[in-house]
Amino acid sequence: MTGQHQTLALVLFSGFVAVTLGITTWVSRRRQGSAEEFYAGGRLFSPMENGFAIAGDYMSAASFLGVTGLIALYGYDGMLYVVGFLVAWLVVLFLAAELVRNCGRFTLADVVAARMSERPVRIAVGTSSVTVSVLYLVAQMVGAGSLVALLLGRTSTADQAWAVVGVGALMVIYVSLGGMRATTWIQIVKAVLLLSGTIALTVLLLLRFHGDFDRLLLTAADRSGHGRAYLAPGLKYGGTWTARLDFISLGLALVLGTAGLPHILSRFYTVPTARAARRSAVWSIGLIGGFYLMTIVLGFGAAAVVGTEAVRGSNAAGNTAVPLLALHLGGGAGSTGGTVLFAIVAAVAFATILAVVAGITLASSASVAHDLYASLRRSRGTARSEVAVARWAAVGIGAVAIALGLLARDLNVAFLVGLAFAVAASANLPVLLYSLFWRGFTTRGAVWAVYGGLIPALGLVLLSPVVSGSPASLFPDVDFQYFPLQNPGIVSIPLGFLAGWLGTITSDEVADEAKYAETEVRSLTGAGAV
């Protein structure tokens, strides 16, 4: 990597940071003491603005770097992530967007606590939301480290550590100063940049192959080292029954997990009405759908133009496939075109990471302040004290995410996000669906549903090949692997639903029919929504 690459990419990245810090500074001058202003941006965003912001939140480093890398390395099997991420939005549109907007104020716990005993439910759902957010943040931190290593040509642990610390510091500044309003505008700017960069790369790639997609696929297969097997199922997930079960488990986690992601659900509170929330979801589906179709092209393009071995040689998990593709499409290392295109893509990828970590950190700090802090105090504090706690929580969550990101730096970012989706689908989705649709659901059922999905999901990950027992594990020198699958969703998601059902039928509490009726009417009509 030449000094020219490094300088130009750093200048572009610094420009984005300067713009976003300017937005944050401008917003911070407004009155931020209001909880509604800090958590929901005053609910003043239009459906189109919020749709772009949701797309910006969802199109993370896992999408731009991790998914394309997996397709470049594993071909057909890598596309599972694209299908899962995209189909998940249909679940969000039909089951979550409008209903969540009508029933809550700022967090997922607001929806569940509306008809339950608040304190145990808020503690359980708040704990789960923070856990999911931290896991999601780890993936972004790993992406940041991989990018800096490629950008600066330095692969030492110390260099990656400083990169991750820098990203973490910026995200804390964005959240603590600007709140939801600044975070939303940062997401919108980032979404426009990411879509523009992805479109440009896709057009250049198709022009290189004269629009012949068949030729692109055949070239990718030839340069993958696997031949036609690269274009067929089974390269990553079809070799054994364990691999096939992992395939099903990952698919379940991706499709069901989005509706339980705290930073996605919190986006629906930034618009004034439920109708606007639904229209936001429609906007985001169009934007996200177009983006993921292009990532398929770019993933196969990286294999065809760069070569699978070169991608793997740069980063074993494939996280640098897109920047390397940009370098080659622009003319190769040392060329002006390659330098410019690489620098633009690297800067866009950095922007992606910064924007997404800001959104996730805001959602998790809101859970700490609005749910955990208020519940543990046994009385709800003032809005100003909640906001102050949220700002300090952003610092703590950022520190935890940085530490875990350094530990997991050799794992693929899309794979790490798959684990976050599995925990969200296991712990958050069951309690959300039961609360909205089961008349007899009780407080014990809600608490059991959360912990009954959260604890098995985390426990199975700790006992899986992800943590120990294989050369690619976090701790390769020890072996306490007792669960054969890398993704726990196929076991932990049913356990979450089962625990919620068992908790309810064994509870002495009688469900409040009046509160359920109120929740049902409010969720379907918006009457009484905040």
Side-chain angles (χ1 to χ4, degrees), residues 45 52 69 158 257 315 363 398 402 418 424 453 470 511:
F45 292 99
F52 269 89
N315 181 273
I402 288 169
S470 70

Side-chain angles (χ1 to χ4, degrees), residues 65 95 125 168 190 198 218 221 243 262 309 318 334 341 373 405 415 418 450:
L65 301 177
L95 293 180
V125 178
K190 167 255 175 158
T198 307
L218 292 174
E309 285 308 310
L341 202 56
Y373 167 72
F415 168 74
V450 174

